[in-house]
C-alpha cells in the first residue's frame, strides 16, 4: 500500500442542525465539522478529510468523490429514507471493492448499513441522559489504542440496548454498560468483499459527545482501521474464470453461455 | 420446542426441466422431486415436505405457506430475476423471525441469498465434469453426521471456485477440492436475526447429483440443522423499550417521538 | 446419532460444603445434587445423570466413566490445583474426541478450561450480592430456549467482569449487566476437536442460584447443546495419511520416517 | 503506538542443517538466515531482526530477549520435545501480554502452538514434491498485500492436509489446493490475550521455499500483521477489582480472601 495520506469523507445528513436550535448551538460547525476535527486531531498529517452532505447534489457522493475516498464515515438519523437508492448501491459497490466504511450512532438504521448486514439492525433505546461505560473487549485491538484503562465513560448519553439485530460481528471491540440496566455491542467490525465495515455507537445530536477526548480517539482509530490494507486485485475478470490447472478427464458437454451472461450482468 | 414434524418447503425455479430434454430425462419428477425424496429418505417421520415453484401464484410462497414453513430450501439458476422483490422481502422477514433457509448450488446468485449476505455472492466456475472431493472441516458437526470418512467425492461435477464473495461464515463445514486446481467453501452457515442460513454447493441440473447418497444425507442434515431451535420471542415490542431498571439521575429533556415513529415504521 | 439417553456426568470439587456451614445448609445434597436435579428436571427421560467428585479415586473420572460420558459438567473453585494433571489430560483428550464439556462459574480457573482455551481465563469479580441481568444475544439459539423474554435476572449474585481472558467465542449467547457497572460474556461456546465447550457463568456456593428456574433451564440446555452430534470418525489413522488421489509428477525423494514417528508418539 | 522499528526475533530449532547435507547445502546460512533475509527484504527499515536458536542458552529466549521482542517467528520440526517447558510458558505469557507470534510450517506440532490453541494441531501430510496452489480467501487482508492475483503457487512442496486440528480461526487468509487431492488452511490468525497468533504453512527443510518471492512477501506481511497494535494496559491490577460504580443494595456478607489469593497466585 502507498504512503500517501488516507482520503476520508465524512458524510452527514445535516438535518438536526437546521431544525433544532439546541443542536445548532451545540454543533455550530455541524456535527460533520466536529467529526472532521476529531479525526484530524488524532490522525494528523496521515489523512485528508472532506465532508459530504445529504443536501448536496448526489448527496455529495459523486462517482469522483467515491472513487477518491479510502474511508467513508456515515451519520444519519432523521432522513434515512431521503437517501437515494442509487447512491446507496454505489457506496455498497465501493465497500466491496475495498473502501472502508464507519457507521456512526443512529446510522445503524441507514439503508447502507442494512444492505451490508442483511438484517434490520434494529435495537432498543432510551434518551434519558444516563451514564454509559464502554468496556474494552479486545485489549490488543488498534481501535482502542490510546484508551487509558479497561473502559471509558460517557457521562450523559442516549441508551442503545440489545438485542441489536446484526450478524455476529467478526470482532466485538467495545461493549457498553448503561445505568438503566442494558448492555450493547458498541463497536464491532465486519469484512464485506474487500472492504472493512465498522460500527461505533457513541454520538448524538443533543449531547456533546463528539467533543469528548476518548470518543474522538476511537473514531479516528476506527477510520484508520477501516482503511484499505491490500493492493490485491479486487475481483476476477470473466476470462480468468474457466482455465484449469490440470487436464480434466471428464467428457461432459457443457454450455456455459448462461453463466457468462449472468457474469456480465453483474458488471464484471 | 415442540415435537411435531418439521415443516419443510422445497422451493424450485423449475425452468431447466421445461427447456432441456437432458434435464427432464435426468429428473423426471423435477429436481424438486429428487430433493424432496432425499430429505424424506433421511429425516423420515420427523418431517413433512411440500414443494413450491416459481411458476405458481406468488411463486408458491403465499403468506400462509411461509407462516407454516420451518425450513425453506432454495434452488434457482436461470430465473433469479423473475423472482418478485416482494416475495423476497417476505422470505427475508421470515428468516429473521426464525425460519431456516438452505440455499442450494446456483442459488448463490439468488436475490434472497444476496440480501441475507450483503455481498454479491459471486464465484468462479467451470462446467467440465471434473472430480470434486469435499473435506469435512468440523468433524463433530451435525451436518456431516453419517458421512463415513474425512471426505466424500462427487465423480463428475461443475466446479465452483474461490473467491466466493460472502461474509466470513459462522461455520465452514465442508471445503471442496477440484481436479482442475480450485477450492471452494461448499457448506457454510450464518445466523441472521433468529434464523439459520445454510449454503450447500453440490447439485446441478445436468449431473445426477441429487441422487447421490452422501449429497442426500448432507442435504437432509442441513435441513435439520436449519430448523428453529428456540421458542424465545422474536423481538421486543415498543412498550418494552423505555423502562429502566435504575433510577437515572440525568436531567436531560428528551423527545423520543422520532424514534417511536421509526420503530412503528419498521412494523414492530 | 443414536436415540439412547444422553449420558451426563456432573463433576464437582465438593469442598465448600465440607468447610462452610452456610454452603452445607444451602445445598444439603451438595451443589452437584442441585445441578443433577436441575438437568433432570428439564431433560427428563432423555438423560441419565451421574456425579463424580474430587475426593473419589481418580476424582471419579476413571477411564470407564470418561468413556461412557457424553457430556461432562465441571464446577471447581477452592481446589483447582488439587486436580491431577493426568486426569486433566484424559478429559482434554475426550473432549477432542467428541465429549461435550460445560464449565460452570468459578470453573473458569480450572486446569481443564485453561488447557482448552490456551489463555489464563482470568476475570474481575466482586462478591457484593448485587443484581445481574443476563441479556439474550442470539435469540434463536437452543441454549436460551424456554427463556421467556429478552433477558432474565438473578437478584443477588457475585459479579464477574471483563476483561475475561478467553479466545473470541464461536458464539456469545448471554451477556450480563451488573448493578455495579460491569458487563460479562456469561454464556459462550467453542469447538475444540470434535467436542463442544460451553461456559455458563451463574452459580455460586453461597447464593441459591442453582435452584433458580432460569438457571436450571439454561444449564440443562447447555448440556443438550454440548452433546455429540455426529457419528463421523474422530480422526484419521496413520495408514490413511499418505495415499494421493492423483499421480504426482514431482520426483522428490522423501524420507517420511520422522513424521511417522511423531504421529505414533501422538498416540494415533 | 510508537514509530520505532519493530523488534523481530526469528527462532529456529536448527537441527536439520546439522544432520543433513541436503539441508545444509540448500540453506548455507541456516533456514533462520533465509527467513531473516526475507523479512528484511520486505519490511526494510521498519524492522530490526535477530535470531535465536534451540542450541543457545535458554534457547536464545532469555527474559531480556523476550521483553524486547515485538514479534517472534517459530520454526521447529525434529526437536519439539527438546524445548524446555519453562521457556514455553514464558513465551506463552509474552503472547498474552501482546507479543505477536508467527508459527511456521512444521511448527504446528510445537509445544507453544499446542498450548495457545488448546488442541493437538495434528494434520495429514505427504512429502512427494507436488504442486500447491494457495488461494487468497480474504482479498482485502494485509497479509496478502503484494500478491498479484487470486492465488500463488509453489512448484514442489510437501503436502499438509485437513483435518487440521485447530480451533476455528478468527481469520482464514489462505487455503491451499494440492495436486494429490487435499486442501489445507495454510494461513490463519487467532487473538490470544493481547497477542496475535498467525500460522503460515509454506516452508520446508528440503525445498527452497524460503527463497520464493511470494513466500517471503507473505512471511513479512505476517510479521507486520502480528505486531502489537495497542498501547492499552495489559490487564487489571488487584486493587481495580472491587470498586463499584453504584451503591449496591444487597446485604450479602462476602469473604473475598480466597479470590484474592488466587489472583496473587496468578501473578497479577
Amino acid at each position: 500500500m502507498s504512503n500517501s495520506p488516507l482520503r476520508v469523507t465524512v458524510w452527514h445528513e445535516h438535518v438536526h442542525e437546521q431544525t433544532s436550535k439546541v443542536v445548532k448551538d451545540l454543533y455550530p460547525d455541524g456535527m460533520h465539522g466536529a467529526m472532521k476535527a476529531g479525526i484530524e486531531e488524532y490522525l494528523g498529517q496521515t489523512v485528508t478529510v472532506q465532508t459530504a452532505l445529504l443536501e448536496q447534489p448526489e448527496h455529495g457522493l459523486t462517482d469522483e468523490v467515491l472513487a477518491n475516498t479510502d474511508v467513508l464515515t456515515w451519520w444519519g438519523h432523521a432522513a434515512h429514507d431521503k437517501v437515494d437508492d442509487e447512491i446507496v448501491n454505489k457506496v455498497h459497490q465501493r465497500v466491496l471493492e475495498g473502501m472502508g466504511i464507519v457507521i456512526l450512532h443512529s446510522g445503524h438504521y441507514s439503508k447502507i448499513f442494512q444492505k451490508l448486514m442483511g438484517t434490520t439492525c434494529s435495537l432498543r433505546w432510551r434518551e434519558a441522559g444516563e451514564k454509559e461505560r464502554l468496556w474494552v473487549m479486545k485489549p490488543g485491538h488498534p481501535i482502542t489504542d490510546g484508551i487509558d484503562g479497561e473502559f471509558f465513560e460517557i457521562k450523559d448519553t442516549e441508551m442503545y440496548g440489545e438485542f441489536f439485530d446484526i450478524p455476529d460481528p467478526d470482532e466485538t471491540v467495545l461493549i457498553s454498560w448503561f445505568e438503566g440496566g442494558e448492555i450493547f455491542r458498541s463497536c464491532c467490525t465486519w469484512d464485506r468483499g474487500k472492504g472493512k465495515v465498522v460500527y461505533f455507537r457513541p454520538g448524538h445530536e443533543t449531547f456533546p459527545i463528539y467533543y469528548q477526548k476518548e470518543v474522538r480517539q476511537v473514531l479516528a482509530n476506527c477510520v484508520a482501521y477501516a482503511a484499505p490494507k491490500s493492493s490485491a486485485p479486487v475481483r476476477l475478470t470473466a476470462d480468468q474464470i474457466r482455465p484449469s490447472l490440470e487436464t480434466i478427464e471428464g467428457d461432459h458437454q457443457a454450455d456455459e453461455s448462461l453463466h457468462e451472461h449472468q457474469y456480465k450482468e453483474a458488471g464484471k
Side-chain angles (χ1 to χ4, degrees), chain A:
Chain A
M1 301 299 294
S2 86
N3 286 315
S4 42
L6 195 68
R7 301 164 301 173
V8 181
T9 300
V10 170
W11 190 88
H12 183 39
E13 70 170 32
H14 197 232
V15 169
H16 292 302
E17 292 91 336
Q18 304 184 55
T19 59
S20 157
K21 187 175 181 316
V22 172
V23 179
K24 183 64 187 169
D25 288 350
L26 186 59
Y27 290 106
D29 299 323
M31 298 176 70
H32 52 301
M35 292 182 228
K36 178 176 186 292
I39 295 166
E40 289 169 337
E41 179 181 348
Y42 284 92
L43 298 185
Q45 302 299 315
T46 66
V47 287
T48 57
V49 186
Q50 64 178 325
T51 61
L53 303 176
L54 176 67
E55 68 210 42
Q56 295 171 335
E58 301 182 54
H59 309 328
L61 299 173
T62 62
D63 290 355
E64 196 189 339
V65 167
L66 284 176
N68 290 287
T69 296
D70 296 314
V71 179
L72 180 68
T73 71
W74 193 278
W75 200 102
H77 184 215
H80 291 315
D81 59 352
K82 300 292 194 305
V83 179
D84 192 83
D85 286 345
E86 195 187 341
I87 303 293
V88 173
N89 289 340
K90 286 180 181 180
V91 172
H92 183 251
Q93 177 65 21
R94 278 288 293 139
V95 171
L96 299 184
E97 287 170 8
M99 182 182 74
I101 190 165
V102 180
I103 305 291
L104 295 165
H105 191 63
S106 46
H108 74 89
Y109 255 147
S110 63
K111 290 179 180 177
I112 182 62
F113 192 51
Q114 291 176 323
K115 188 175 178 73
L116 285 161
M117 296 292 103
T119 54
T120 65
C121 306
S122 66
L123 48 79
R124 93 175 42 220
W125 79 93
R126 175 182 54 239
E127 195 175 330
E130 68 203 276
K131 184 181 298 207
E132 175 180 12
R133 201 183 248 199
L134 298 99
W135 287 90
V136 174
M137 302 302 288
K138 293 181 76 69
H141 200 285
I143 282 181
T144 50
D145 183 30
I147 295 300
D148 180 25
E150 293 194 289
F151 59 81
F152 69 97
E153 294 185 1
I154 298 176
K155 189 173 174 298
D156 298 300
T157 194
E158 181 186 28
M159 180 279 289
Y160 276 12
E162 299 283 343
F163 175 64
F164 186 16
D165 182 24
I166 47 173
D168 278 357
D170 295 347
E171 301 173 311
T172 302
V173 181
L174 293 166
I175 299 183
S176 291
W177 172 100
F178 290 95
E179 193 178 346
E182 290 82 9
I183 58 108
F184 191 74
R185 290 168 288 180
S186 282
C187 185
C188 304
T189 81
W190 301 260
D191 290 333
R192 287 291 180 273
K194 207 180 153 182
K196 185 77 78 181
V197 182
V198 180
Y199 176 78
F200 182 45
R201 192 203 90 80
H204 189 260
E205 65 276 12
T206 62
F207 296 109
I209 286 172
Y210 288 121
Y211 296 122
Q212 183 172 334
K213 179 170 68 101
E214 293 92 343
V215 172
R216 288 162 86 107
Q217 168 83 72
V218 172
L219 171 57
N221 289 348
C222 287
V223 167
Y225 188 65
K229 298 290 194 302
S230 171
S231 56
V234 173
R235 205 174 312 289
L236 70 176
T237 55
D239 56 339
Q240 290 179 303
I241 302 282
R242 277 158 299 155
S244 78
L245 178 68
E246 304 281 312
T247 303
I248 297 166
E249 294 176 17
D251 59 356
H252 183 75
Q253 296 302 314
D255 173 6
E256 299 210 354
S257 58
L258 179 64
H259 299 80
E260 280 179 40
H261 172 70
Q262 289 184 326
Y263 203 72
K264 278 167 196 157
E265 286 294 296
K268 280 153 297 185

